[in-house]
Amino acid sequence: MSEFVRTFVMLKPDAVARGLIGEIITRIERKGLKIVAMKFLQVSKELAETQYAVHKGKSFFEPLIEYITSGPSLPMVVEGKNAVQAVRTLIGKTNSLEANPGTIRGDFGMTLERNVIHAADSVENAKIEMAVYFKEEEIVKYKRIDEQWLYE
Ligand code: CMP
């Protein structure tokens, strides 16, 4: 069943440092997804460890925290029908090398460790992850003028 949901998305430090913010946000907007919250910040070690708590103890956890805290990132909340799935399809596989051309990681990344963008993998995790960066009152409500054409 299709329903309007919110998902959590974050442009990582490599996306920002490489000047890809506009290109990536354009793809999210062009798809029909609605950006309802956004911040630009250097993520602290504490925030990064909270965001990626599920990976604590894994071999890539420490390098991941170093990567995420190495420069500014752009966390956002994105809304739409089946937005979790829509964004995951848009960004491609976690390993940029395996991500299809046409996807964000497929077009802009070379490796698993520097994969440009993060997106929640479920509605439940999206709620947990967006709460790391946003208070409920920081998430705005508005209409896209093309909603009547995006959805039946
Ligand atoms: P992301 O979607 O942000 O979720 C966890 C991140 O850990 C992942 O993208 C990669 O940036 C990073 N990572 C590094 N090594 C691995 C690995 N072996 N498996 C999964 N994720 C990894």
Side-chain angles (χ1 to χ4, degrees), residues 11-21 24 40 71-74 116:
L11 276 55
K12 297 179 176 179
D14 47 338
V16 175
R18 292 173 59 203
L20 296 173
I21 294 173
I24 294 171
F40 186 65
S73 293
L74 201 144
V116 181

Side-chain angles (χ1 to χ4, degrees), residues 72-128:
S73 293
L74 201 144
M76 64 178 108
V77 179
V78 164
E79 198 176 87
K81 255 189 193 180
N82 300 304
V84 170
Q85 192 189 344
V87 174
R88 296 281 290 186
T89 303
L90 207 57
I91 74 176
K93 286 191 183 172
T94 307
N95 187 342
S96 311
L97 196 59
E98 295 168 1
N100 286 328
T103 65
I104 292 168
R105 286 166 171 162
D107 286 351
F108 301 117
M110 287 293 289
T111 66
L112 168 64
E113 294 81 10
R114 295 288 179 272
N115 63 354
V116 181
I117 187 166
H118 165 81
D121 62 4
S122 67
V123 174
E124 295 70 36
N125 285 338
K127 282 181 188 155
I128 295 167

